[in-house]
Structure formats: structure tokens, C-alpha cells
């Protein structure tokens, strides 16, 4: 691997993204269209997952030795609950709610049977335009990617020279951000697996305005929830 210079490391902002714990909506996602569902709370397992990721995050916070960490969360109940439970012992951290981190909206499809929404014709339309297809009244993945990129780039640029960024959010939203970093084909987005409370460890280089992915879908803490 390419050796990173001291200048690059000094200029790098440490960033961790955390998907929310299992929520009520996740239990029916195989048969029902999910989407934003911002009121969906964590399940008992989801609360356990959020508590389990806490020590891993506190270890990360201690390891980066920053003066202050900027903590962001989606406004969705499940993301806010995850942040509160995971950081319960880090009471000195202020958590900022950021609307641009919310999950992809599926519009009028949310809560509807998947078989009625994802007809063969609709699936063909998605395959033909994976970036720009949107459910009626909903968002495209391209729309989601633009706002998540905006939110996270604003965060790293606003953070002072010794600050890290920690953000709690959602599967599709965070996978769109990773796709943007990789410049990978939109059609491969579904191949990225981000578990409930899975962590994405990133670095943002201030000197070059470039992102790098250090680890994706870190789930070691979930062994305690098995």
C-alpha cells in the first residue's frame, strides 16, 4: 500500500458513520416498502445493538485524541435513539440533528406491499436508471447522495483542526455516500452490506479535499448481541 506522509495524516479528519440499530420497520422490510419511516423506533434488539456499539465508539473517540468531536444524527427516531444509547456515558458531547442525513424517501410507496410496488415494469425502470429512478413522491438515490455529501462535507470543513466527526444515520443514505467516494456503478449499490449499527471508518484530507475509506461495515461489537 502507498505510504502516507506525516503531512497527510496531520491534515486528515477522522470520521465514523454509524447505521442505526434494528427498528420496527426493519422487521417487515422483506414484504413492505420501508424508506424514511422517521417515526419507527428501535426494537429491543436494536437498543441492545446501540448499547453494544457504545464502547467501540468511545474507544475510537479516545484513540483520535481530538479536542472536540462533532456528533451528528439524522432526525429519524431510530437514529436519535441509537446516538443517545451509544453515547450515554459521553454526556459532554452535543448531538446535532441534521436533516440531510435522513433516509431515502420512498414517497407514496412507504408502508405498502413490495409486490404491488416492484412490478416487472418498475424493476426494469430501476435497472435502466438506478441513479435517477424515484418512487412516486419520493427521492432518487442521486438526490440522497447529493444531500448526504453536502452534510458530511460541511461537517468536516466546519470542524476545527483537531476535531473528528461522528454521524448516526441510515443504510441507503450512507451507502450512497460510499458509492460517491468510490465512483462505483450505481447498479452495484445493493451489493454493499451495512448491518444495523455497522460502522464506516473514513478519513478526510484537508489538504487535498479527498476522502478515503479505512474500514467498512465494522460489526465486531455485534457478537455480544448474538
Amino acid at each position: 500500500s502507498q505510504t502516507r506522509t506525516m503531512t497527510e495524516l496531520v491534515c486528515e479528519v477522522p470520521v465514523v458513520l454509524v447505521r442505526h440499530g434494528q427498528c420496527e420497520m426493519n422487521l417487515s422490510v422483506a414484504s413492505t416498502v420501508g424508506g424514511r419511516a422517521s417515526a419507527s423506533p428501535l426494537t429491543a434488539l436494536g437498543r441492545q445493538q446501540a448499547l453494544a456499539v457504545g464502547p467501540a465508539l468511545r474507544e475510537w473517540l479516545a484513540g483520535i485524541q481530538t479536542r472536540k468531536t462533532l456528533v451528528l444524527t439524522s432526525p429519524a427516531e431510530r437514529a436519535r435513539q441509537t446516538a443517545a444509547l451509544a453515547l450515554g456515558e459521553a454526556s459532554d458531547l452535543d448531538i446535532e440533528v441534521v436533516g440531510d442525513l435522513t433516509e431515502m424517501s420512498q414517497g407514496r410507496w412507504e408502508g405498502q406491499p413490495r409486490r404491488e410496488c416492484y412490478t416487472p415494469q418498475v424493476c426494469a425502470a430501476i435497472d435502466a436508471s438506478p441513479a435517477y429512478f424515484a418512487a412516486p413522491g419520493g427521492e432518487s438515490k442521486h438526490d440522497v447522495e447529493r444531500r448526504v455529501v453536502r452534510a458530511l462535507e460541511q461537517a468536516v470543513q466546519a470542524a476545527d483542526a483537531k476535531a473528528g466527526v461522528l454521524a448516526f444515520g441510515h443504510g441507503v443514505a450512507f451507502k450512497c455516500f460510499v458509492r460517491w467516494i468510490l465512483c462505483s456503478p450505481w447498479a452495484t449499490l445493493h451489493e454493499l452490506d451495512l448491518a444495523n449499527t455497522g460502522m464506516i471508518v473514513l478519513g478526510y484530507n484537508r489538504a487535498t479535499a479527498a476522502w478515503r475509506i479505512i474500514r467498512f461495515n465494522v460489526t465486531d461489537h455485534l457478537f455480544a448481541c448474538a
Side-chain angles (χ1 to χ4, degrees):
S1 60
Q2 190 174 23
T3 301
R4 298 180 62 77
T5 67
M6 183 60 68
T7 300
E8 287 178 313
L9 291 173
V10 168
C11 290
E12 188 166 80
V13 179
V15 179
V16 169
L17 311 181
V18 185
R19 187 188 175 197
H20 61 81
Q22 184 193 72
C23 67
E24 296 289 346
M25 184 258 301
N26 292 149
L27 298 179
S28 60
V29 74
S31 59
T32 304
V33 177
R36 188 162 290 178
S38 294
S40 184
L42 295 180
T43 62
L45 175 58
R47 291 191 292 273
Q48 185 182 3
Q49 291 168 337
L51 290 169
V53 78
L57 292 177
R58 289 191 290 275
E59 181 180 355
W60 175 76
L61 290 169
I64 60 177
Q65 298 178 337
T66 61
R67 187 165 62 242
K68 181 176 176 61
T69 297
L70 182 62
V71 183
L72 315 175
T73 182
S74 154
E77 180 68 12
R78 58 194 182 275
R80 296 176 71 169
Q81 286 182 313
T82 300
L85 289 168
L87 299 176
E89 295 181 16
S91 56
D92 60 324
L93 293 174
D94 295 324
I95 302 176
E96 178 184 351
V97 176
V98 178
D100 277 345
L101 293 179
T102 196
E103 182 59 298
M104 178 177 173
S105 170
Q106 292 280 38
R108 294 191 293 277
W109 282 3
E110 292 189 10
Q112 300 303 308
R114 295 182 70 87
R115 65 179 182 278
E116 295 180 9
C117 299
Y118 290 97
T119 63
Q121 294 81 4
V122 166
C123 290
I126 294 173
D127 290 342
S129 184
Y132 296 99
F133 178 88
E139 295 178 288
S140 70
K141 293 183 178 67
H142 181 262
D143 293 332
V144 176
E145 181 179 278
R146 287 182 62 189
R147 59 175 170 79
V148 176
V149 168
R150 179 172 63 232
L152 294 176
E153 294 233 303
Q154 286 176 350
V156 293
Q157 290 162 10
D160 65 39
K162 292 187 178 180
V165 176
L166 172 60
F168 294 85
H170 305 271
V172 173
F174 283 162
K175 290 195 292 183
C176 284
F177 183 69
V178 168
R179 188 223 69 84
W180 174 78
I181 295 174
L182 297 173
C183 295
S184 57
W186 282 97
T188 64
L189 189 69
H190 69 280
E191 297 175 7
L192 294 174
D193 182 22
L194 184 60
N196 289 118
T197 65
M199 298 184 290
I200 306 171
V201 183
L202 306 166
Y204 174 78
N205 190 289
R206 292 177 181 275
T208 62
W211 289 86
R212 71 181 181 113
I213 300 170
I214 300 169
R215 295 185 68 189
F216 180 82
N217 196 32
V218 181
T219 57
D220 299 350
H221 59 280
L222 292 180
F223 288 116
C225 301

